[in-house]
Amino acid sequence: MGKSCKGLFDELVRCLSNSDCVKNHPDRKTALKDCAKSNGNDVSDYCKGVRDSYYKCRRAAFDMRKRISGVPGY
């Protein structure tokens, strides 16, 4: 994982860990993964925003047009 998206990833994990989705999930091993994909009401709008920002950051990191100029400061 690139260092430029590390802060967003950490914030996403922190946000999802505190969400009702993870706390009420029956399987602890896959809770973060399942809740990150979820669009339900158990995940806050803030977490969804962080998830989308992280996705855009990761996508920009692999975009060859952006690799030349660098990933924007996410």
Side-chain angles (χ1 to χ4, degrees):
M1 174 183 349
K3 293 179 182 178
S4 60
C5 301
K6 180 76 170 133
L8 284 172
F9 178 76
D10 292 341
E11 181 63 25
L12 179 61
V13 170
R14 187 176 315 117
C15 185
L16 287 174
S17 296
N18 294 328
S19 70
D20 291 337
C21 182
V22 171
K23 291 177 183 176
N24 298 331
H25 199 277
D27 185 14
R28 287 288 192 191
K29 291 182 181 180
T30 61
L32 282 175
K33 185 177 179 181
D34 292 342
C35 292
K37 293 179 181 179
S38 172
N39 284 326
N41 293 333
D42 292 343
V43 179
S44 69
D45 290 337
Y46 176 74
C47 289
K48 291 176 186 176
V50 173
R51 179 191 63 197
D52 292 343
S53 296
Y54 176 69
Y55 169 76
K56 289 176 184 175
C57 181
R58 293 293 294 154
R59 184 174 175 146
F62 290 110
D63 187 2
M64 293 307 281
R65 294 171 289 175
K66 299 280 185 179
R67 290 184 96 174
I68 294 169
S69 61
V71 177
Y74 283 96

